[in-house]
Amino acid sequence: MAILETIVIAFWAMLPAYVPNNAAVLAGGGRPIDGGRTWDDRRVLGDGKTWRGTAMGIAAGLALAAVLTFIAQDVSSALGFDVPAFTPLAALGLAGGAMLGDILASFLKRRSGRQRGAMFPGLDQLDFVVVSLPLVALLDFEWFQSWFTLEVILVVVVLTPILHVTTNMIAYQLGLKNEPW
């Protein structure tokens, strides 16, 4: 597989996981998932993790996976190589795993004493990858195995932090985020 093909497949395959956290920020607000509960005098998750944001993030990832699946054959023909069409379970694993990864990252941040929005290098950029890929493998191993080759996974691990930092800087400049990370 050529490097450009690998990059395109990695980006396409991860789009349903890349979008949920951004959609959650836009649709966020409402009741926090942790209900305001604390553990060792620290919030379990914080106000930034809400039921509405989580639901909208997952819905956005699922909707994007459906659109990508609808156009996958035409895009594959235009590119000269196949891009993934998403099974329902693969889409759910990517979108749901992305949101679960973000929630778990918030939990770890609170346990380490970091406040909402505090930087946590590595975790901030890869939390959703670390959860979504194993969840997809668990839910639809055949689909996972056919698309997430070692090369694609390596590109995802390198590409994701770059995309994450870039999109966060844009969101910060647009006033959608309070911090640029």
Side-chain angles (χ1 to χ4, degrees):
M1 188 180 317
I3 187 67
L4 183 58
E5 182 179 340
T6 305
I7 292 169
V8 169
I9 290 170
F11 182 72
W12 184 281
M14 286 301 293
L15 273 172
Y18 287 155
V19 167
N21 288 318
N22 297 318
V25 169
L26 297 175
R31 203 171 95 216
I33 293 171
D34 68 7
R37 290 177 189 84
T38 60
W39 182 8
D40 289 337
D41 295 323
R42 293 185 206 138
R43 283 289 295 275
V44 175
L45 298 174
D47 289 335
K49 302 300 164 225
T50 66
W51 290 110
R52 180 173 51 207
T54 301
M56 292 304 292
I58 293 170
L62 292 173
L64 179 58
V67 169
L68 293 174
T69 296
F70 182 75
I71 65 171
Q73 189 173 6
D74 291 337
V75 172
S76 295
S77 295
L79 293 174
F81 59 86
D82 290 337
V83 294
F86 298 89
T87 66
L89 288 176
L92 181 61
L94 288 164
M99 293 308 300
L100 182 57
D102 191 53
I103 290 166
L104 291 173
S106 289
F107 178 78
L108 292 173
K109 283 182 171 184
R110 299 303 91 77
R111 301 294 60 78
S112 69
R114 289 175 171 83
Q115 295 301 313
R116 179 179 176 190
M119 191 166 37
F120 199 137
L123 183 67
D124 285 331
Q125 293 77 28
L126 293 171
D127 56 353
F128 56 95
V129 172
V130 169
V131 177
S132 64
L133 291 184
L135 188 55
V136 170
L138 180 69
L139 293 176
D140 193 341
F141 187 73
E142 185 179 332
W143 186 90
F144 174 83
Q145 193 174 30
S146 65
W147 291 108
F148 284 99
T149 63
L150 179 59
E151 293 84 9
V152 168
I153 291 171
L154 289 173
V155 168
V156 167
V157 170
V158 171
L159 182 66
T160 299
I162 295 167
L163 289 172
H164 188 271
V165 170
T166 302
T167 57
N168 281 341
M169 301 265 304
I170 292 167
Y172 176 73
Q173 291 297 322
L174 293 173
L176 300 172
K177 288 190 62 131
N178 295 329
E179 59 283 321
W181 49 81

